[in-house]
Amino acid sequence: MSEHTLTDARQADGRPATPSTPGQPPDEVKLVELRKLRLERVVLVGVAVDGSVERAERSVEELHRLAETAGAEVLDTMVQRRARPDAGTFIGKGKAKELAAAVKALGADTVIMDDELSPGQLRHLEELVDAKVIDRTVLILDIFAQHATSREGKAQVELAQLNYMLPRLRGWGESLTRVGSGMGSGGPIGTRGPGETKMEVDRRRIRRRITKLRRDLVDMTRTRDVKRRGRERAGVPAVALVGYTNAGKSTLLNRLSGAGVLVEDKLFSTLDPTTRRLDLPGGRSATFTDTVGFIAKLPHDLVEAFKSTLEEVARADLVVHLVDAAQPDPGGQMAAVRSVLGEVGASDVPELLVLNKADLLDEVTRARLARLLPGVPMLSAVTGEGVDDLLAAIATRLPHPEVELTALVPYDRGDLVDRVHREGEILEIDHVAEGTRLRLRAPAALGHALAPYDLGAQDAGDGAVAEASDAPAAPGG
């Protein structure tokens, strides 16, 4: 099984990772001080701190899928009920000893905790268990690192990894306390003094890399903003597809547009957003964007790193919230998604809730969901069931363009009529001898293009001329 790079300050043998490769300057190292772990044989541990063992078990089941996505073989799972996490080891010394015995008996080499642990808790637990210990955050970051393909996606994941790792640089042995310059009387002239520890050097390099990544992401955001403003000037409404990971967003976008987005029955199989322009019932066009999937206990560093991408959701005209209806706890997934939407400022965007994967439901489950979520449409992105109704609902929910006018467009301006179909909302259309007569709602840019053919403006102009000719002449001198 292949190795996967996970964020930490040690190699598998406990020594600090080599910060650079031959021919690569230290400052150009992207993921410094990472260790490679063979996630082949792992034990999963969850803690029910709120008393709900059932909820903790569901969370550990999800952790099981995450571990498999990362390439692990799960040997065993443990769920503990506690009033509060132990400050030293999160699970307490007694449970840690039980875990150590299980790890030894099973021949496991890694323990994965279902919650984010502090640096001290990780260190103490590793000492008691005598095995590598990572938490849910590291596992999710590793999966994101595997699946990011675009330059922006890779930079966002790396930023999240470094932000997570910075406070967790821990010194094992003498290497991370080794001084970087001469100390005492042993060094050459000009290098004697307190010097700088390797940990301090590592922190400085990581902070420098974080600064560069943030600067690069700002530049990438500007490029995306230019494209978005172009769509806004054209009056094309934006629809954002959001939902829990593996809810079927990419499958739906492929069904609607043939976008060819990667679809796998895995968590976080797609990270980079894909945008496609589609025609809606009634003739209007809209852009549909497939966003990164959400998950419970999504690392805060990851949300922060992906905020520039997720802010596209906050600027959308409509959020289509896709829910996996085949999961046992759709309400919990909906709450997790809405929590992240609130973090990125998208909680006020109009939401259209949709239940997906209807092809996996029996009649009893369909009836139960209909009672639980009355009026929520149900569809199958795989078979196409309910997709036409979804498009009709989206067309109804999108905001109407701000300008209403009646225009008579000559037949030699077919390009303008085509633009009206794509960007405007046609209320009436009639073909007369002079051209195409349209009553429509249009965005400001389209309204400006139609101004020479606006019958209302022409009538107002003719009226003004008539009033001026009927007015009495002013007394002359």
Side-chain angles (χ1 to χ4, degrees), residues 37-39 41-43 103 108-112 131-134:
L37 296 178
R38 285 185 177 274
L39 287 185
R41 302 171 64 81
V42 303
V43 175
V103 167
D109 54 18
T110 304
V111 173
I112 305 179
K132 307 178 191 75
V133 178
I134 62 173

Side-chain angles (χ1 to χ4, degrees), residues 163-187:
N163 278 323
Y164 175 86
M165 184 176 61
L166 186 58
R168 289 169 172 79
L169 284 177
R170 322 190 285 263
W172 282 280
E174 298 179 355
S175 49
L176 286 186
T177 58
R178 186 177 66 242
V179 292
S181 63
M183 189 171 183
S185 59

